[in-house]
């Protein structure tokens, strides 16, 4: 190239490591000529989409020539009915990744500090770095968040803190008392972004509901997604809930048509499909029991998880195990890029999928 385009990019983008998604089943099919692949790598809903959501999306396809409703009126009304959220407290996103980026774009200047934990979701370092902000990474405590360390890391330059509850990839979680004590100690000018992508799955009675805490803490942004328990990862819908001033700021940087018509319609419809959510949670509970029991029988150490996945220590480098599982048509998620080279993350699947994963793992580990 005649011009050094890399030098033209912002310093943040120059040093950026792109997000590595789970391997798509079709890619493995192409590479190894396998069929009947079990993908337990991206925490997707193993039930397939809700029929109610599917019907709504199909109906919306008849209006593909139209721009979607930029305000997302009907979905916001449904969110208000479902969660009691006022529409002017909601920012809709093309997945919750989109709203996480909006938060970074609205609030981060070069030199601002962003706190997150070791083993935090990799999107947080990416959007921090892309904003030329400074990442402050605190050490994990038992694979989860060390809230005292995070509080000690706060300076007058701290603008945002990211916490996923439960955390991905470790599955660890904070209870209500821990989270509230943390928020109580936080300066009001430091915004906590509480990423609740997996909140539906927890059955711990002490598990906090971030949406309930919004009236108590002005410096709180809660993000939710339709990609996991609601089974709509392919359509890309998520939202942020926050006070009206923050919501107005986020909507200033939001692209007006960031959520497609079929996605808006499916998300609105799926909120009514209580049976689908109930089936999702029951499938996850049973699958979690099955997978954890099977993994422990193999002598592996499983990190307790409140999500729809488990992170498991293999006691040896996970890379070769991952490769051998691929050859048996089982896709799990390596987490070496999270500095966990001996672990893999396994999404909870259907009974037969979990069984195949455990069988393949047993073969690979005993070989
Ligand atoms: C899956 C996930 C999300 C959701 O991403 P979408 O863009 O909504 O699909 C957000 N945060 C965490 C921690 C996740 O694991």
């Amino acid at each position: 190239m005649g011009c050094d385009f890399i030098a033209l990019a912002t310093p943040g983008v120059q040093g950026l490591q792109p997000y590595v998604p789970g391997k798509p089943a079709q890619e493995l099919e192409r590479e190894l000529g396998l069929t009947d692949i079990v993908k337990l790598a991206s925490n997707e809903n193993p039930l397939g989409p809700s029929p109610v959501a599917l019907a709504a999306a199909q109906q919306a396809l008849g209006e593909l020539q139209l721009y979607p409703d930029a305000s997302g009126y009907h979905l916001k009304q449904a969110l208000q009915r479902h969660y009691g959220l006022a529409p002017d407290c909601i920012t809709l996103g093309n997945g919750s990744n989109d709203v996480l980026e909006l938060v970074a774009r609205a609030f981060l200047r070069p030199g601002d500090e962003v706190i997150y934990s070791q083993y935090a979701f990799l999107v947080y370092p990416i959007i921090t770095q892309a904003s030329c902000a400074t990442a402050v990474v605190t050490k994990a405590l038992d694979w989860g968040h060390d809230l005292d360390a995070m509080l000690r890391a706060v300076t007058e330059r701290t603008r945002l803190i990211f916490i996923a509850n439960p955390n991905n990839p470790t599955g660890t979680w904070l209870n209500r008392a821990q989270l509230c004590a943390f928020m109580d100690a936080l300066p009001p000018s430091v915004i906590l972004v509480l990423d609740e992508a997996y909140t539906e799955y927890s059955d711990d009675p002490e598990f906090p509901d971030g949406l309930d805490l919004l009236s108590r803490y002005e410096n709180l942004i809660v993000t939710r997604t339709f990609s996991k328990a609601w089974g709509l990862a392919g359509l890309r819908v998520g939202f942020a809930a926050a006070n009206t001033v923050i919501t107005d700021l986020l909507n200033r940087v939001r692209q007006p048509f960031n959520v497609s018509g079929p996605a808006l319609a499916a998300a609105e419809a799926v909120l009514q499909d209580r049976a689908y959510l109930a089936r999702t949670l029951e499938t996850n509970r049973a699958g979690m029991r099955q997978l954890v029991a099977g993994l422990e029988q193999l002598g592996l150490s499983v990190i307790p998880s409140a999500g729809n996945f488990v992170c498991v220590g293999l006691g040896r480098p996970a890379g070769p195990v991952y490769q051998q599982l691929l050859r048996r048509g089982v896709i799990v998620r390596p987490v070496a890029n999270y500095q966990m080279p001996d672990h893999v993350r396994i999404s909870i699947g259907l009974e037969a999928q979990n069984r195949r994963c455990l069988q393949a793992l047993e073969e690979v580990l005993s070989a």
Side-chain angles (χ1 to χ4, degrees):
M1 301 249 173
C3 176
D4 183 359
F5 294 108
I6 292 175
L8 299 184
T10 68
V13 173
Q14 284 181 31
L16 208 55
Q17 302 279 343
Y19 183 79
V20 182
K23 192 176 189 67
Q26 287 186 359
E27 188 177 302
L28 185 61
E29 255 174 54
R30 282 196 302 273
E31 286 172 2
L32 297 183
L34 295 172
T35 52
D36 194 22
I37 286 166
V38 172
K39 183 189 177 199
L40 300 175
S42 299
N43 302 343
E44 292 148 337
N45 193 319
L47 296 178
S50 142
V52 175
L54 200 57
Q58 258 154 2
Q59 188 168 6
L61 289 178
E63 301 204 315
L64 281 189
Q65 81 284 8
L66 301 179
Y67 281 103
D69 173 15
S71 72
Y73 176 83
H74 291 291
L75 176 54
K76 285 183 186 169
Q77 292 293 314
L79 289 170
Q80 181 165 36
R81 284 194 299 276
H82 198 78
Y83 296 117
L85 284 172
D88 59 359
C89 293
I90 300 170
T91 307
L92 297 179
N94 190 249
S96 57
N97 267 288
D98 187 24
V99 289
L100 293 170
E101 276 195 33
L102 297 182
V103 173
R105 204 168 329 144
F107 288 103
L108 295 182
R109 296 169 185 73
D112 284 347
E113 290 175 1
V114 177
I115 301 173
Y116 52 84
S117 176
Q118 186 184 17
Y119 314 130
F121 188 39
L122 275 179
V123 165
Y124 313 150
I126 290 171
I127 59 183
T128 300
Q129 164 109 24
S131 309
C132 304
T134 301
V136 178
V137 186
T138 55
K139 272 233 153 41
L141 183 64
D142 298 331
W143 303 108
H145 291 83
D146 183 342
L147 294 179
D148 292 331
M150 295 182 93
L151 279 178
R152 283 196 303 273
V154 172
T155 73
E156 67 279 5
R157 306 184 74 168
T158 307
R159 180 99 314 125
L160 298 176
I161 299 177
F162 286 103
I163 292 180
N165 198 42
N167 186 51
N168 174 15
T170 57
T172 53
W173 69 99
L174 301 167
N175 65 30
R176 189 179 300 109
Q178 291 171 312
L179 187 63
C180 287
F182 179 75
M183 286 303 293
D184 288 335
L186 215 56
S189 62
V190 175
I191 297 172
L192 174 67
V193 182
L194 185 64
D195 179 343
E196 295 191 328
Y198 301 97
T199 193
E200 292 87 356
Y201 291 99
S202 170
D203 46 18
D204 178 347
E206 299 304 315
F207 195 88
D209 180 340
L211 300 180
D212 280 348
L213 300 179
L214 286 170
S215 57
R216 204 155 135 191
Y217 302 108
E218 289 190 331
N219 53 335
L220 177 63
I221 301 175
V222 177
T223 65
R224 296 276 181 104
T225 182
F226 285 90
S227 297
K228 309 284 162 53
W230 299 104
L232 296 175
L235 278 179
R236 319 299 306 122
V237 200
F239 66 93
N243 72 54
T244 55
V245 176
I246 289 180
T247 300
D248 175 52
L249 291 165
L250 297 181
N251 277 282
R252 291 182 197 187
V253 287
R254 183 180 68 87
Q255 288 183 40
F257 306 113
N258 62 337
V259 187
S260 74
L264 289 169
E268 180 194 347
V270 81
L271 286 172
Q272 295 170 31
D273 195 349
R274 313 300 306 171
Y276 178 77
L277 183 65
R279 229 168 345 117
T280 295
L281 302 187
E282 186 42 45
T283 304
N284 193 68
R285 260 192 291 278
M288 177 72 84
R289 273 196 301 270
Q290 175 195 5
L291 211 50
V292 169
L295 292 167
E296 286 179 346
Q297 227 160 39
L298 295 175
L300 304 176
S301 58
V302 180
I303 302 173
S305 167
N308 64 344
F309 57 89
V310 284
C311 212
V312 51
L314 303 177
R316 61 169 99 174
V321 176
Y322 167 71
Q323 293 296 338
Q324 288 302 316
L325 288 174
L326 287 182
R327 294 181 175 283
R328 288 164 173 78
V330 174
I331 311 176
V332 298
R333 189 68 161 267
V335 284
N337 51 349
Y338 284 90
Q339 270 67 58
M340 299 174 75
D342 294 351
H343 283 74
V344 291
R345 194 195 67 194
I346 307 176
S347 306
I348 310 298
L350 302 175
E351 205 267 341
Q353 297 175 319
N354 300 330
R355 193 157 15 96
R356 265 207 44 206
C357 177
L358 288 168
Q359 269 163 6
L361 201 51
E362 183 170 16
E363 284 169 25
V364 169
L365 292 177
S366 62

